Amino acid sequence: MLKRKAYDRLLEWKKNRNGKTALLIEGARRVGKSTLVEEFGRNEYASCLIVDFFQAPAEVRQYFEDYRTDFDTLFLYLSTYYGVDLHERDTLIVFDEVQMFPTARGLLKYLVADGRYDYIETGSLLSIKQNVDGIVVPSEEESFELNPLDFEEFLWGMGEEKLVTLIRRQFDSLKPLPDGLHRRAMGLLREYILVGGMPGPVSIYVAQRRFEPVDTAKRQILSLYRNDVARFARGYEFKVVSVLDGIPGQLSKHEKKFTLSSISKNARMRSYEEAFFWLADARIANICFACSDPGVGLSLNMTQSSLKCYLADTGLLVSLAFADNAHTDESVYRAVLRGEIGLNEGMLTENVVAQMIHANGHRLFFYSQSGKREGEERMEVDFLIVRPYADAAMKPRVCPVEVKSPRQYGTKSLDRFKEKFGKRVGTQYVLHPKQLKVDGDRAYLPLYMGFCL
């Protein structure tokens, strides 16, 4: 199994909660939830019983209905059906794809109180109305989100643990890597952009170092997502698909705010809000909202009517951009890797930085000023994050982040942002293909250091 940071999170939950809560792992389909939990159960418990509600027969579901107040019989039947011995305080019971059977999720309050075993749920689309109808979400449930492999995890899979350690050390000291290692890290980042972080495609690439089978695997995932749209987004599936298919085109523009008029001249945000929510809840897309008055509490000034929509996995974005053809040849991927085919660099680099920032637990925000009002200058800052600022005794400050893919670029928006918001602003970050350098309170970081922010 590929090494995942989330495994340590599971160990921490097991040690600190000791059965007092159930753990819910949310994430997109095929992001590796089931594999992670199965590995954890096998390694850390005497036994692990997995109930996959995508495949569980009616008989198993009926056990939860008939014996909801008789846990002795429920556990006996589950143990017998799955052929797994249950050990008090040393068995993990997994409700896989729990959104397919909300009754089991509603029962967890009482299963946790019973105290015999530990419980982990996995699922996606858990906020969709049809998946919470008729149940009270248990307060004994804590959750976290499993994302695609970030760049650091990808490097682990590629056997580059020492390079990861060096990148983090150089980021902490704000010193550049030697030129040869910088080029190597940039090359690996380009591979990561094309492969993405979905565990299946990554495993194929680690084993074969070929893009064509990776592309096939990514297209299968995109097909699965489309099937989920048809199944779960009933009544507004056309809007969801329109937004999904429109992401590459929207991100190819200079100004990457999602413009609904490109879908339909009569489209309005209020009628498409549900589509964006669905894609975000399915963890297929990362939504980045405008912040009208940046401060430490970015959410307080969030403007939901103005947003950017990134695909949650950049490798899937590449395959979506190539969707006009039934498959993409190895030679095409190699040409993109070498920079010989003009696949929009800005689209890919901004999407991968959004993926990195989201994986680090930041909500995504940007700042935009049209410059159309009198005395107002135009500015567009790609991302806003909050980080401790050394010049303010490590108190949190707003840190603007600009993503630059070309070799030559300007930073007027950062200059104007600092001038306008003054002491609210901390370190300004420019993520670019070049080496690291520091100029006052502005840090120019190579793109591969985005996972450190």
Side-chain angles (χ1 to χ4, degrees), residues 360-371:
N360 270 355
H362 298 287
R363 288 190 70 184
L364 297 180
F365 295 96
F366 72 98
Y367 182 77
S368 179
Q369 187 171 279
S370 66

Side-chain angles (χ1 to χ4, degrees), residues 182-217:
H182 167 75
R183 288 192 295 271
R184 181 167 149 194
M186 283 300 303
L188 286 162
L189 178 65
R190 291 183 69 84
E191 292 177 49
Y192 174 66
I193 287 172
L194 295 176
V195 173
M198 301 302 282
V202 172
S203 296
I204 292 170
Y205 189 72
V206 167
Q208 301 183 28
R209 294 298 201 275
R210 294 181 61 242
F211 292 107
E212 194 165 346
V214 167
D215 184 72
T216 299

Side-chain angles (χ1 to χ4, degrees), residues 307-353:
L307 58 83
K308 297 188 287 187
C309 186
Y310 300 98
L311 215 59
D313 181 70
T314 309
L316 294 182
L317 176 63
V318 172
S319 292
L320 191 62
F322 284 136
D324 289 345
N325 298 314
H327 72 282
T328 306
D329 294 337
E330 182 76 18
S331 60
V332 175
Y333 269 95
R334 295 286 173 185
V336 173
L337 184 66
R338 295 189 297 266
E340 297 171 359
I341 291 182
L343 188 63
N344 190 291
E345 290 276 341
M347 169 183 74
L348 299 179
T349 52
E350 190 165 325
N351 197 92
V352 79
V353 170

Side-chain angles (χ1 to χ4, degrees), residues 274-335:
E274 203 166 18
F276 286 106
F277 167 78
W278 195 97
L279 287 167
D281 191 62
R283 305 306 195 267
I284 294 172
N286 292 327
I287 309 300
C288 182
F289 291 103
C291 180
S292 59
D293 188 23
V296 171
L298 293 169
S299 298
L300 297 175
N301 293 288
M302 180 173 69
T303 305
Q304 291 187 310
S305 59
S306 179
L307 58 83
K308 297 188 287 187
C309 186
Y310 300 98
L311 215 59
D313 181 70
T314 309
L316 294 182
L317 176 63
V318 172
S319 292
L320 191 62
F322 284 136
D324 289 345
N325 298 314
H327 72 282
T328 306
D329 294 337
E330 182 76 18
S331 60
V332 175
Y333 269 95
R334 295 286 173 185

Side-chain angles (χ1 to χ4, degrees), residues 213-243:
V214 167
D215 184 72
T216 299
K218 291 189 294 173
R219 287 172 184 269
Q220 290 171 349
I221 294 172
L222 288 170
S223 178
L224 176 69
Y225 289 170
R226 291 181 186 280
N227 291 337
D228 283 347
V229 172
R231 185 172 184 177
F232 294 107
R234 293 172 187 165
Y236 53 98
E237 57 265 42
F238 171 78
K239 292 178 180 178
V240 175
V241 170
S242 296
V243 172

Side-chain angles (χ1 to χ4, degrees), residues 14 18-20 45 87-91 115-118:
K14 181 178 188 290
N18 194 30
K20 301 301 182 185
Y45 292 84
H87 307 271
E88 191 162 329
R89 298 304 318 133
D90 203 11
T91 288
R116 276 177 258 189
Y117 312 114
D118 286 357

